[in-house]
Amino acid sequence: MDIRRLRYFVTVAGERSFTKAAEKLNIAQPPLSRRIQEIEEEVGAQLIERKSRPLRLTPDGRLFYEQALQVLERLDQMSSTMQRFVGNVRPRFVLGLIPSGFHDRLPQVIQRYRMIAPEIDLSLIEMNSMEQVEALKDGRIDAGLGRVRIEDDGIRRELLREEPVLAAFPPGSMLGPPDQPIDLSQISPYPVILYPRGPRPSYADAIVSMFRDYGIHLTRTIEVTELQTALIMVAAGEGACLIPTSARRLAHPEVLFRSIRPQVMSPIVLSHRIGDNSQGLKMLFQTFTTLYQEWGYPTPGFIGQQD
């Protein structure tokens, strides 16, 4: 998908007018309209209701608009990150993060790291657990936070903690008292929404394996790319999903949550290269040590025991 056309589409959607968008983009209206038509032909769907005034997006168009915003935001982030990386002479520490993986506490982790190591330029890059392994081996990142334990001879995985998993159900689901946990078997009649779609192995595989371990057959599964998409689909009544407790705040207020019996846990895993004794990694360990003490979490046994 051409980036320039994505920007054209986002501008038209934002202005809700081809005329205003053309003026803002400083191009003529006919070529702008053709670019939008080319996008619609490429995706195979009408994205804009042209007869309405002001213009309105179709359901397909709203989804495309949300995805286009994410792509453009990521592109802009990549550009600014590279500019800082190339122009900065301070020591750098690059941390890979899974999308929507460590919500409640992550801002505090980042703030504390920058407080105790102001001489280090901390950069964040969004990538899934599989991508983190390859990025660590290639030297593109220095550590990664993920949800999946992936075995690799060159990578050491440290378990930070286990987080309870919650079941998310569509509004109006009949689940009994809100303070009572549900059985895993109560989820199986719903379409189970899994994320991410790829690459594998991923959190989705861990969820499928969990049902299999308890002998529960899933009647239908739906795979999506991101946790936020899964929660949107739950809110729309398309199915149920399992999420880490820290992701609960991302959901629509009407989504129903229940704890699970037997209790299911999701690991938070810190990955780094074996033999890495860099100052940046030591500062990350120190960050978790001090914050875990403040939060009342057990300090992971690996802290301070680098190879």
Side-chain angles (χ1 to χ4, degrees):
M1 182 64 63
D2 182 83
I3 296 299
R4 182 182 60 177
R5 288 189 298 172
L6 285 184
R7 295 194 186 278
Y8 286 174
F9 176 82
V10 166
T11 303
V12 172
E15 297 294 330
R16 303 180 70 183
S17 165
F18 278 101
T19 301
K20 293 181 179 178
E23 292 175 355
K24 187 171 184 178
L25 294 167
N26 196 29
I27 62 173
Q29 184 173 332
L32 174 60
S33 180
R34 285 197 296 272
R35 299 295 85 78
I36 303 303
Q37 290 176 352
E38 290 170 0
I39 293 178
E40 291 177 322
E41 293 171 359
E42 187 168 340
V43 301
Q46 182 181 350
L47 303 179
I48 296 176
E49 295 180 4
R50 289 169 173 77
K51 294 183 179 180
S52 65
R53 292 294 181 272
L55 298 178
R56 290 187 302 179
L57 297 178
T58 65
D60 294 323
R62 288 194 293 272
L63 177 61
F64 188 85
Y65 178 68
E66 293 173 0
Q67 297 297 314
L69 285 177
Q70 292 181 27
V71 170
L72 294 175
E73 181 181 357
R74 183 68 186 91
L75 183 66
D76 292 339
Q77 179 186 1
M78 180 182 70
S79 177
S80 61
T81 298
M82 287 305 302
Q83 289 176 5
R84 292 196 305 269
F85 188 87
V86 172
N88 202 326
V89 296
R90 296 192 303 166
R92 305 180 183 92
F93 188 83
V94 184
L95 180 63
L97 305 168
I98 62 171
S100 312
F102 191 41
H103 305 282
D104 288 350
R105 301 296 191 179
L106 183 58
Q108 291 173 269
V109 172
I110 302 307
Q111 291 169 6
R112 183 61 58 88
Y113 186 96
R114 287 174 171 157
M115 182 184 301
I116 68 174
E119 74 284 359
I120 297 177
D121 182 25
L122 175 64
S123 298
L124 309 177
I125 298 181
E126 188 177 78
M127 56 179 59
N128 59 51
S129 297
M130 281 293 292
E131 292 170 334
Q132 287 179 21
V133 171
E134 295 305 315
L136 281 167
K137 294 164 67 174
D138 294 343
R140 288 179 284 124
I141 66 174
D142 299 293
L145 285 174
R147 291 274 181 187
V148 182
R149 298 181 178 93
I150 299 175
E151 297 299 322
D152 189 284
D153 292 340
I155 304 300
R156 179 165 173 172
R157 291 151 303 282
E158 319 287 8
L159 178 63
L160 290 176
R161 64 186 298 260
E162 298 271 7
E163 183 180 8
V165 170
L166 297 176
F169 290 94
S173 299
M174 304 301 292
L175 302 172
D179 59 341
Q180 295 296 317
I182 64 165
D183 292 324
L184 272 175
S185 58
Q186 291 178 253
I187 304 172
S188 60
Y190 291 82
V192 176
I193 304 170
L194 303 172
Y195 65 91
R197 181 181 290 118
R200 299 297 178 84
S202 70
Y203 181 77
D205 297 290
I207 296 301
V208 172
S209 297
M210 177 198 64
F211 281 105
R212 188 180 299 120
D213 291 343
Y214 286 101
I216 299 173
H217 174 69
L218 298 180
T219 56
R220 182 187 173 199
T221 60
I222 303 172
E223 295 187 0
V224 297
T225 304
E226 296 182 354
L227 182 151
Q228 290 95 328
T229 306
L231 289 173
I232 290 172
M233 294 184 69
V234 171
E238 297 297 318
C241 72
L242 299 181
I243 67 168
T245 300
S246 61
R248 178 174 182 169
R249 66 179 182 83
L250 298 176
H252 189 279
E254 294 184 0
V255 171
L256 303 178
F257 290 97
R258 293 292 186 275
S259 57
I260 302 169
R261 183 177 54 236
Q263 189 176 53
V264 178
M265 308 296 285
S266 174
I268 299 176
V269 180
L270 172 65
S271 301
H272 61 90
R273 286 181 290 274
I274 290 178
D276 184 357
N277 290 301
S278 66
Q279 185 67 13
L281 186 60
K282 291 177 181 178
M283 291 297 98
L284 185 61
F285 284 173
Q286 182 179 335
T287 298
F288 280 111
T289 299
T290 56
L291 286 176
Y292 272 38
Q293 291 173 351
E294 294 177 13
W295 297 336
Y297 295 167
T299 301
F302 71 85
I303 294 294
Q305 299 179 8
Q306 295 170 265
D307 296 326

